[in-house]
Amino acid sequence: CIIDDFFDDGSAKQLLSELKSLQESKQMKPNQVRFLVKGSPLIVTKPGIFEADLYDDTLRSFQPLETFRQMYGDAGENFVSALSASAYSDNLVHGLSGRVVKLQYNDGSGGCFPLHYDNPGKPNKRALTCAIYLNPEWKDGDGGELQLVPFLSRSVIIPPKMNRLVIFRSDSVLHRVLPTTK
């Protein structure tokens, strides 16, 4: 599902401003992936991709993140209820333990995510991804597109345009983010 202009202009600009404040304050950390190799953890850092997770109490208390805090709290619960009542999922988990609000920033140096499913096994629970893009000046050639590869179907490439919401089953739809150039 793709919904353009998901937020009103003022709210989308406020979210972008909050994200920039977080990035400028150096509170976003490099994206890391953990693998288990022969029983030992291997941590791989993806270049050019930074993130913050509002599950972290310290970040939730960061003053400029008021709109994102609302998304994590009551507004997030209302969104989960609306999705539960729709065709997206009848088994979404309510409450703060049932959702993650992750903020990501890609610096345009080629950062990307390879083809993957989210959380393909226990104890992970993520089944549904809702991505909101905040790229006001994005244009063809900038990269960062989301590619969805449904089983036995043609792939779909979704440009990361400003104020666009994308909802998909990330546990069962193979997907990736293409390299960025800007």
Side-chain angles (χ1 to χ4, degrees):
C1 174
I2 300 172
I3 303 172
D4 286 329
D5 301 319
F6 181 70
F7 292 107
D8 63 79
D9 271 356
S11 295
K13 288 177 183 173
Q14 180 62 33
L15 287 167
L16 178 59
S17 174
E18 291 177 17
L19 183 61
K20 285 181 178 179
S21 292
L22 190 64
Q23 191 267 333
E24 289 167 0
S25 70
K26 306 285 187 216
Q27 294 198 46
M28 298 185 85
K29 306 296 180 208
N31 176 275
Q32 295 184 322
V33 178
R34 299 176 203 286
F35 297 97
L36 195 58
V37 178
K38 295 182 181 177
S40 298
L42 171 67
I43 299 173
V44 177
T45 301
K46 293 180 186 167
I49 300 173
F50 303 88
E51 64 185 13
D53 191 333
L54 288 190
Y55 191 72
D56 180 338
D57 291 332
T58 305
L59 285 174
R60 278 201 314 274
S61 65
F62 184 64
Q63 196 57 39
L65 295 182
E66 181 59 33
T67 310
F68 281 111
R69 270 195 301 281
Q70 290 171 7
M71 289 174 66
Y72 187 74
D74 291 340
E77 186 63 24
N78 293 339
F79 191 64
V80 169
S81 294
L83 288 172
S84 293
S86 72
Y88 287 106
S89 184
D90 57 0
N91 61 353
L92 295 177
V93 177
H94 290 266
L96 295 180
S97 67
R99 64 180 165 274
V100 172
V101 174
K102 186 179 286 192
L103 314 175
Q104 289 184 333
Y105 167 78
N106 194 319
D107 70 6
S109 64
C112 61
F113 289 85
L115 285 169
H116 66 283
Y117 296 102
D118 288 347
N119 303 322
K122 292 182 179 183
N124 300 307
K125 302 175 193 170
R126 186 181 331 153
L128 192 70
T129 292
C130 302
I132 299 169
Y133 294 99
L134 300 171
N135 303 306
E137 291 144 19
W138 187 89
K139 62 186 181 315
D140 286 338
D142 288 348
E145 297 92 338
L146 173 65
Q147 181 179 21
L148 304 177
V149 186
F151 185 68
L152 299 177
S153 297
R154 290 181 175 228
S155 69
V156 177
I157 295 179
I158 303 168
K161 294 181 179 179
M162 178 67 179
N163 201 8
R164 171 173 280 175
L165 171 69
V166 179
I167 303 171
F168 65 100
R169 291 294 309 239
S170 54
D171 65 339
S172 59
V173 174
L174 194 61
H175 58 284
R176 70 179 177 160
V177 176
L178 300 177
T180 59
T181 59
K182 181 178 174 189

